[in-house]
Amino acid sequence: MLKIFSVALIILCFASMSFALENDSRVFKIDNEIKVEKAHFHNRFGIDLTGDLYFPKDFDASKKYSAIAVAGSFGAVKEQVSGLYAQEMAKFGYVALAFDPSFTGESGGNVRYAASPEINTEDFSAAVDFLSVQNFVDPEKIGIIGVCGWGGIGLNAVAADTRIKAAVASTMYDMSRVSAKGYFDADDSAEKRYETKKAINAQRTADYKAGTYARSGGVVDPLPEDAPQFVKDYHAYYKTPRGYHERSVNSTECWTLSPMIAMFNIPMLTFVEEIRTPVLLVHGEKAHSRYMSEDVFKRLKGDNKELVIVPDASTLIYMTIWRKFRSLKLKRSLIHI
């Protein structure tokens, strides 16, 4: 049995500065027995990042804890999916950091709702920077969880950052692949990419003249009757009281258009075959993006990998995966570091 989830659920801790959580706007059921504090750190581009730090019960600052950094899904904020993951990890005894990536949520970056394959990969390593210098974190036991698009970004960080000792990607999206080739690679042609680039570059000129940045449209609302099931899933979470958050890209305006070309030109997961860190991939049986996890799993080498397909689960597996823990035997008995 592989050491994967063990490693992956490992890791997170205190911020160089932390403050009590105020004006709590988390959209999931809050466990009042899990202490949470605000955390602030920065990446190597000088962007200030903000996270929520979750501590296990009976936390003792004199001890060394395993820690885990959590981000995602793509376009969500820490008060949504990643916060739920972090809270659950704290229940398992980890110190867990759910953070807002650059340009989103409460984190910095003065072009709001922008995405970057390089900067966002750096965000995960910045979280590891922060965790690795905390007195109560064991720097040899730091892992990450990436959800949705942040699953692919997280694995991109793992390919470069050897300090990450385990990784979990839940309902993973490869944002470079889907941006450049479309779903199921249906738009994988130089001509289609050329036409997309022409349109985006024309919009760049218009944006520069106007001093604003055009948005990509976001999660459709109101929802058309003929919408694909995965779009209905997105809407059911991000656009309803169940998961709506005013700082979430997916709940409001969505991303700026220009970064899509960077996703074409600087593809992520180039060196995924060289990852030596244990990796767990979790995906729903009925998720439209399932093929992305399956293809990455084939590319990973050695025996330090595991793919778990959750029966009957779909796009929103990341909201239900914790209920599956025991049936999947993904719990602390698998953790060996």
Side-chain angles (χ1 to χ4, degrees):
M1 193 94 179
L2 136 142
K3 299 181 178 178
I4 282 190
F5 204 83
S6 12
V7 196
L9 303 184
I10 325 179
I11 331 189
L12 191 84
C13 222
F14 223 47
S16 46
M17 296 185 67
S18 64
F19 306 89
L21 209 61
E22 296 180 356
N23 302 319
D24 196 338
S25 59
R26 289 175 288 171
V27 302
F28 51 87
K29 185 177 180 180
I30 297 168
D31 187 333
N32 292 320
E33 293 186 352
I34 300 297
K35 181 182 177 183
V36 189
E37 293 188 355
K38 192 70 71 180
H40 299 277
F41 56 105
H42 63 275
N43 66 22
R44 294 187 69 183
F45 291 93
I47 298 173
D48 293 325
L49 302 176
T50 298
D52 290 338
L53 218 59
Y54 291 75
F55 300 93
K57 296 176 184 178
D58 304 319
F59 172 77
D60 183 348
S62 68
K63 294 182 179 180
K64 293 283 189 180
Y65 286 82
S66 296
I68 186 158
V70 192
S73 56
F74 199 72
V77 289
K78 62 189 179 304
E79 291 82 6
Q80 294 173 314
V81 179
S82 60
L84 174 60
Y85 272 61
Q87 179 174 267
E88 294 298 323
M89 292 302 95
K91 291 179 183 179
F92 282 120
Y94 299 98
V95 179
L97 173 67
F99 67 93
D100 288 332
S102 296
F103 312 114
T104 64
E106 293 185 306
S107 288
N110 62 8
V111 177
R112 304 311 294 168
Y113 302 162
S116 163
E118 183 178 11
I119 294 174
N120 292 148
T121 298
E122 160 62 19
D123 288 340
F124 256 128
S125 287
V128 175
D129 291 342
F130 169 72
L131 293 173
S132 66
V133 300
Q134 305 310 312
N135 291 334
F136 43 85
V137 169
D138 184 340
E140 294 300 317
K141 294 186 177 182
I142 296 178
I144 66 170
I145 298 177
V147 186
C148 184
W150 279 86
I153 292 168
L155 293 182
N156 203 48
V158 173
D161 195 332
T162 58
R163 300 170 302 167
I164 300 171
K165 303 304 181 183
V168 173
S170 178
T171 320
M172 191 213 82
Y173 252 65
D174 179 345
M175 296 306 300
S176 295
R177 179 178 179 179
V178 75
S179 296
K181 300 179 180 181
Y183 286 109
F184 301 100
D185 301 337
D187 296 326
D188 185 14
S189 76
E191 185 60 31
K192 287 186 177 180
R193 280 188 288 275
Y194 180 74
E195 292 303 320
T196 299
K197 287 184 280 189
K198 276 177 54 178
I200 291 176
N201 286 318
Q203 186 60 53
R204 283 191 62 147
T205 302
D207 287 348
Y208 195 85
K209 288 179 180 178
T212 59
Y213 295 90
R215 308 284 187 194
S216 61
V219 177
V220 62
D221 188 39
L223 187 67
E225 290 186 8
D226 60 350
Q229 184 58 48
F230 72 92
V231 174
K232 293 178 180 178
D233 290 341
Y234 294 158
H235 187 279
Y237 182 72
Y238 291 109
K239 291 292 189 178
T240 70
R242 175 186 174 195
Y244 178 89
H245 197 282
E246 61 183 5
R247 288 193 294 270
S248 169
V249 180
N250 293 337
S251 292
T252 55
E253 300 177 76
C254 208
W255 301 96
T256 59
L257 284 169
S258 298
M260 186 182 291
I261 291 181
M263 295 292 185
F264 289 7
N265 228 26
I266 311 173
M268 294 181 286
L269 302 178
T270 301
F271 295 107
V272 71
E273 289 89 350
E274 298 181 9
I275 290 176
R276 300 183 185 183
T277 298
V279 172
L280 173 67
L281 301 167
V282 185
H283 227 106
E285 178 187 19
K286 297 180 179 179
H288 68 287
S289 52
R290 171 178 164 180
Y291 71 98
M292 297 188 200
S293 283
E294 292 175 330
D295 288 354
V296 164
F297 181 74
K298 293 174 186 175
R299 293 176 62 193
L300 291 167
K301 304 300 182 183
D303 61 357
N304 65 339
K305 62 178 183 175
E306 184 174 356
L307 173 64
V308 174
I309 302 298
V310 181
D312 297 321
S314 61
T315 303
L316 294 183
I317 182 180
Y318 48 79
M319 298 308 300
T320 60
I321 186 62
W322 306 114
R323 300 182 193 130
K324 307 283 186 180
F325 260 16
R326 285 163 181 77
S327 62
L328 294 174
K329 299 181 181 178
L330 300 178
K331 51 184 180 179
R332 294 186 58 149
S333 62
L334 291 180
I335 299 195
H336 300 289
I337 69 169

